[in-house]
Amino acid sequence: MAYETIFAHQQDSPVLTIELNRPDKLNAVTDVMISELKEVFKYAESDASVRAILLTGRGRGFCAGQDLNIARERPLEDGQFSFREHLTTTYNPLILRMRQLPKPIIAVVNGVAAGAGMSMALACDFRIAAESASFLQAFVRIGLIPDSGSTWLLQRLVGMTRALDLAMTGRKITAHEALDWGIVNQVLPDADLIPAAQQLAAELAAAPTKTLGYIKRAFDFASTSTLAEALDNEADLQEIAGRTADHQEGIAAFLDKRPAQFKGE
Ligand code: T3D
């Protein structure tokens, strides 16, 4: 798959790897990068051969958020640039696409994740970080509020007290602090990050893929619903999960005392 600002490869595997590819700028985000990410996540959703996705950055950064060289050139005075329009046509649909993608996405945080780069990591289903990784809600440092879903995603992960601390101070936290706070699932020595991510992705790719999608949908729904609504939604989604071939395979494998061979169907 040929792109300008990302690198995506699958190589006869159910795992699609997406690398942000502007290493000299710590993978700062441009509109082209957002378009390319939307396109590659669309492919990931529609192609049945993809059963898990890794998102990482090339070089020493994961992603430094919006490219500020581009931001500086915006024609603000004459009203030609609208932040609202920019967000609603670029970052917002990307974040929604990631959350609505019915397959697991693992953020492999190889270095600093700042601003919308941190938001992108938060929009993934798993975050595993290198010991040298760090996280910051950089927005406030340049007079902006957290966006790209950070107000919603961060608060759900760490609670209001810690979310406001990070959002209002813009301070950088280490990978180990992020682990303590429940922002990341795992912290690994830098050299072990990619092999561990690939192993996790392979495990997830061998799981009942459709069910993972329903799990993601159910948890996102429940985070803003009442208990009664969540129970009802669980019943709806179980109606669908219970009719997958993988459910039948799961039962058969259990009763046959053998490992299940899920096909994602
Ligand atoms: O529509 C909208 O615009 C609203 C949406 C906003 C979304 C956002 O993401 S707002 C937040 C934007 N991001 C930031 O404010 C972060 C800016 N970067 C930093 O604060 C620091 O670079 C880091 C803390 C991330 C890392 O620091 P450090 O010391 O490890 O690296 P560095 O030396 O600052 O950066 C290395 C290079 O990357 C450097 O380039 P150079 O001097 O070697 O040519 C630096 O300028 C460049 N770089 C880093 N971040 C960005 C960037 N270039 C453009 N945009 C960046 N965001």
Side-chain angles (χ1 to χ4, degrees), residues 208 244-256 258-262:
T244 58
D246 281 343
H247 173 53
Q248 294 309 315
E249 165 61 7
I251 294 177
F254 175 78
L255 295 175
D256 296 350
R258 61 172 173 82
Q261 297 288 324
F262 295 120

Side-chain angles (χ1 to χ4, degrees), residues 24-26 28 60 64-68 74 86 115-116 138-139 147:
D24 294 349
K25 300 291 173 198
L26 302 180
R60 72 175 178 90
Q66 171 65 40
D67 187 308
L68 298 181
R74 288 167 173 167
H86 187 239
F139 311 90
D147 63 25

Side-chain angles (χ1 to χ4, degrees), residues 1 7-18 40 43-44 47-55 103-106 108 194-207 209:
M1 283 169 258
F7 187 65
H9 48 101
Q10 200 179 343
Q11 288 160 346
D12 299 326
S13 148
V15 179
L16 174 70
T17 301
I18 304 168
V40 77
Y43 161 77
D47 194 296
S49 72
V50 178
R51 295 177 65 186
I53 299 119
L54 293 172
L55 176 65
K103 298 174 186 177
I105 312 176
I106 304 164
V108 185
I194 298 297
Q198 286 169 338
Q199 187 181 331
L200 173 61
E203 280 169 29
L204 290 166
T209 308

Side-chain angles (χ1 to χ4, degrees), residues 22-29 31 34 60-61 63-71 74 81-88 90-91 112-119 134 136-142 144-148 170 172:
R22 300 186 71 222
D24 294 349
K25 300 291 173 198
L26 302 180
N27 301 312
V29 181
D31 286 1
I34 296 179
R60 72 175 178 90
C63 176
Q66 171 65 40
D67 187 308
L68 298 181
N69 290 307
I70 295 170
R74 288 167 173 167
F81 178 82
S82 155
F83 284 90
R84 160 164 261 287
E85 188 187 337
H86 187 239
L87 285 174
T88 55
T90 57
Y91 289 100
V112 66
M118 180 168 174
S119 304
S134 55
L136 64 152
Q137 291 278 296
F139 311 90
V140 70
R141 294 182 175 202
I142 55 165
L144 293 181
I145 71 154
D147 63 25
S148 311
K172 194 197 272 189

